[in-house]
Amino acid sequence: MALVRFEVVHTPVSAIESEGTVGYFFYCRDNPGTELHLEQLARAHWSFMDGYADAMIARGPTLTPDRRTHTGSMHMVDLPDDEAARAFAFEEPYYAAGVYGEVLIRRWRNELGRTMWDFRGGADDPRFLIIGHGREGASAAAEALLEEHRRYFVARGYDGRLIERGPLLSDDGTEWAGVAILVELPDRNVADTMLLDDPYGLAGLYATVEIHDWQFGGRPLPRTVNPQVVGSSPTPGAAKLQPRTHP
């Protein structure tokens, strides 16, 4: 197996939000050839995540464009501090088994103030994780465009399709560092257009943009309940069951 460089981008926290927790965004990219580990450790992974059920905002795997192969794992979680964030990322069974080749951790703000299980999308459309990595030094420009950025999603009719949306933040939570969005859209081209046409994209505030096929994740519900539903808890609004739904 070719050597895969491991990289961690960790965001320490210098200030705790008023609720006593900090929002974190985690994206873990798979090493190649680790599908067997994913299958073998799925229950251990779910059991680990059960301990964070009350803190979970969103979770789920990223997939290849045909949605058949697992490529990574995404979580949005409220946690007390950076030590708790390290434990969440590095004590998790998939990480311990070497499944992940890269782990990204950033502070993140939940702009919509809800969890993914609150989403009531009616379209039978695919879902995507979009990560816009902010250009260095673009925080002031992002702040100036913030209200225009928010209005854009409403004016273009995207607001009803947003599952989660919020900024990635700097180490102390005061500087804009990009965006992380979960959204239900007809196809990848629409997802690409949505981010690049928003005021931040038009102003060139993104250094790079990632678009990942994504789906709701978590422990599958018993088939006697509903064979089409999957989620980390039996909460309404979960997505249709897909193969290899581990995160």
Side-chain angles (χ1 to χ4, degrees), residues 3-247:
L3 179 64
V4 177
R5 180 172 60 89
F6 178 79
E7 175 182 330
V8 175
V9 181
H10 174 65
T11 305
V13 176
S14 62
I16 301 300
E17 296 178 356
S18 59
E19 296 84 357
T21 61
V22 177
Y24 286 90
F25 171 82
F26 300 82
Y27 182 54
C28 306
R29 304 175 199 271
D30 292 354
N31 272 321
T34 55
E35 281 219 349
L36 182 59
H37 287 311
L38 288 166
E39 297 290 349
Q40 292 174 337
L41 293 170
R43 291 186 181 278
H45 169 81
W46 290 328
S47 293
F48 179 85
M49 291 299 167
D50 285 346
Y52 294 91
D54 292 340
M56 196 70 64
I57 299 167
R59 64 189 292 190
T62 56
L63 308 162
T64 51
D66 63 5
R67 296 185 168 257
R68 293 182 177 275
T69 304
H70 190 287
T71 62
S73 178
M74 186 287 313
H75 294 83
M76 295 169 173
V77 193
D78 283 333
L79 296 169
D81 51 34
D82 59 338
E83 183 177 355
R86 284 195 297 270
F88 181 88
F90 304 130
E91 294 178 12
E92 190 275 326
Y94 286 158
Y95 171 80
V99 168
Y100 301 135
E102 180 182 332
V103 176
L104 171 68
I105 308 174
R106 291 287 192 196
R107 280 198 63 177
W108 177 82
R109 182 181 302 123
N110 185 354
E111 284 274 312
L112 302 183
R114 66 191 187 200
T115 74
M116 74 179 193
W117 296 281
D118 298 317
F119 178 66
R120 294 293 185 269
D124 188 20
D125 286 334
R127 291 165 178 175
F128 299 92
L129 163 65
I130 303 176
I131 310 171
H133 299 277
R135 180 169 50 80
E136 187 175 354
S139 184
E143 180 65 25
L145 290 170
L146 177 58
E147 292 307 318
E148 188 177 344
H149 167 76
R150 289 170 172 166
R151 289 194 298 267
Y152 164 82
F153 292 100
V154 177
R156 293 291 185 93
Y158 293 124
D159 54 326
R161 290 179 169 271
L162 292 171
I163 302 166
E164 294 293 345
R165 176 177 62 80
L168 301 172
L169 301 171
S170 63
D171 293 357
D172 61 2
T174 63
E175 298 285 321
W176 180 87
V179 300
I181 298 172
L182 300 175
V183 63
E184 183 179 84
L185 293 169
D187 56 47
R188 180 179 286 262
N189 289 334
V190 177
D192 184 64
T193 299
M194 184 190 78
L195 199 63
L196 295 182
D197 281 356
D198 101 82
Y200 288 169
L202 293 176
L205 302 191
Y206 299 123
T208 58
V209 173
E210 301 180 44
I211 299 176
H212 300 274
D213 288 79
W214 176 83
Q215 67 184 33
F216 277 42
R219 189 188 297 275
L221 297 178
R223 291 187 178 275
T224 54
V225 175
N226 186 340
Q228 293 301 310
V229 177
V230 61
S232 65
S233 64
T235 309
K240 290 186 176 180
L241 183 64
Q242 299 289 345
R244 300 185 176 88
T245 307
H246 302 305

